[in-house]
Each structure stands twice: as structure tokens, then as C-alpha cells.
Amino acid sequence: GAVVSQHPSRVICKSGTSVKIECRSLDFQATTMFWYRQFPKQSLMLMATSNEGSKATYEQGVEKDKFLINHASLTLSTLTVTSAHPEDSSFYICSARDPGQNNEKLFFGSGTQLSVL
Amino acid sequence: SQQGEEDPQALSIQEGENATMNCSYKTSINNLQWYRQNSGRGLVHLILIRSNEREKHSGRLRVTLDTSKKSSSLLITASRAADTASYFCATDATGYSTLTFGKGTMLLVSP
């Protein structure tokens, strides 16, 4: 099956710093990737849709300048949490569809647990 | 807004028993999918059922879909401790749109 790799798996940072999370499709090309945020024991909240070669589409209420998304190639999307604050602490997950598998199901990275001190 | 609503929110059973989780949704769909998430990990796709299908099987999984009631159920038969995880339903309105996830059911299977 398609593999999505996400790094880092866990990051602890100081308030005010920026953190970059990478999401790579290892064996397929993904023109679109999705970034989710998940609080403990909660569902996934879609933050934005990352589009290769163009601007990301953000969901209502998600700050574009806070959560910078770059999708520079067909296999890599990055999410940068800028000037992180404790309230940004959360589990962030990326996902993508594999065009070779009818684009129906999502393949997920293993997630990044961000803790902002 | 969340499309799917699973119930129960939490389910605790013994190994060997069957586990049934339900999902309700609000608008028309192209397909409905079930995912599993182990604690602190990403989600893994389990099964997809299309709007014109009523039942689907995959190993120990059985999924039903009732579009008239806008509901689906996931049955895990002969559960194992390794089935302990959170299970989410997700709806796809058009077949290639973003998925909308429900709140999930936390399943605990005790040995």
C-alpha cells in the first residue's frame, strides 16, 4: 500500500519558536495533501488542503500566517507552526490520496506530537 | 462541522466477543469509510462502502450502510486485544472531496 512518512514524530519547543513538520509520500505522487489537527481523545479537524505548486486552501478559522503550508514537490508538503504558543500544542497528522488507488481512501502519516513550553 | 457521529463513544469488551460501532451522518454521500487509530499514531484505512452498497466484508470486519437512515455500522467479530484502538467513520460527499471524520469510538478489548 501507499506510504506516507511524517517527521518528526515528536517535538518539544519553546514558546515563540517555529516548528516545521514534513510529510512525504514515499511511493506515489500526491498533488494534494491534507493537514489535520487532533486534540486528545477528539476527532480529526481538517486544517488545510495543500496543493502542489499553488497556495494551500485553509479551513475556516485556521490562521494562514500561523500555519504556513508549502507543497513544493509532488512528494513533499510541509507545515510550519510559526511563533508557537502553548495553545498550539496538539497532534498534527498529514494524509494524501494515491492516484494509483482511485484516489478514494486516505493514507496517513504517523503524526507529530507538538508540545510548546 | 463534523459530519459523522459515532456511538458508543467508548466500548469495553472481552477477547472473543464481537464489537459493534455505529456512525450517523447528515448529508448525502458518495462513500463512507472506516479508519482505525492506535494511540498516538496516524490512521489506517479499514474499509470503504459506496452509497449503492448495503454491506461489505473484509476479514473479521463487516460494514453496513443504510442511506435512508444515513447510518453505518462496523462489526468486528471475534475481537482480539490487538483490536484495541479508536475507530472513526469518515464520509466522502463526492468521491474525491475531503473526508469528514466523526468523533470516533474508543474500543478496549481485554484479554
Side-chain angles (χ1 to χ4, degrees), chain A residues 34 36 38 41-46 49 91 93 97 102-106 108-111, chain B residues 2 33 35 37 40-43 45 48 50 88 92 95-99 101-103 106:
Chain A
F34 305 96
Y36 291 87
Q38 186 180 32
K41 299 184 180 180
Q42 300 282 319
S43 186
L44 282 74
M45 182 189 79
L46 179 65
T49 300
F91 192 62
I93 319 175
R97 284 187 164 108
N102 297 324
N103 265 329
E104 290 181 318
K105 59 185 180 183
L106 286 177
F108 283 84
S110 55
Chain B
Q2 294 297 331
Q33 305 177 32
Y35 288 81
Q37 182 181 33
R41 305 290 294 175
L43 280 71
H45 181 269
L48 179 152
R50 303 182 196 285
F88 294 90
D92 186 343
Y96 47 84
S97 57
T98 56
L99 295 185
F101 286 83
K103 295 181 179 179
M106 292 180 62

Side-chain angles (χ1 to χ4, degrees), chain A residues 35-76:
Chain A
W35 287 95
Y36 291 87
R37 182 174 182 175
Q38 186 180 32
F39 290 103
K41 299 184 180 180
Q42 300 282 319
S43 186
L44 282 74
M45 182 189 79
L46 179 65
M47 299 175 65
T49 300
S50 171
N51 304 299
E52 188 269 334
S54 64
K55 292 182 180 180
T57 304
Y58 289 82
E59 295 299 301
Q60 191 173 8
V62 178
E63 298 176 60
K64 301 178 183 181
D65 296 332
K66 176 74 169 174
F67 299 100
L68 298 180
I69 290 174
N70 183 278
H71 195 153
S73 77
L74 287 171
T75 59
L76 174 64

Side-chain angles (χ1 to χ4, degrees), chain B residues 20-82:
Chain B
T20 300
M21 289 159 265
N22 303 297
C23 168
S24 61
Y25 57 93
K26 297 178 181 176
T27 62
S28 62
I29 61 171
N30 175 280
N31 66 72
L32 184 145
Q33 305 177 32
W34 285 89
Y35 288 81
R36 166 194 167 128
Q37 182 181 33
N38 285 75
S39 181
R41 305 290 294 175
L43 280 71
V44 175
H45 181 269
L46 294 176
I47 195 165
L48 179 152
I49 187 165
R50 303 182 196 285
S51 60
N52 61 353
E53 298 175 312
R54 291 297 167 257
E55 188 171 311
K56 206 162 184 179
H57 296 256
S58 177
R60 293 185 295 113
L61 305 179
R62 172 177 167 253
V63 169
T64 62
L65 179 65
D66 187 334
T67 53
S68 66
K69 295 181 179 178
K70 292 186 169 58
S71 67
S72 173
S73 67
L74 171 66
L75 168 68
I76 303 174
T77 60
S79 63
R80 305 165 182 168

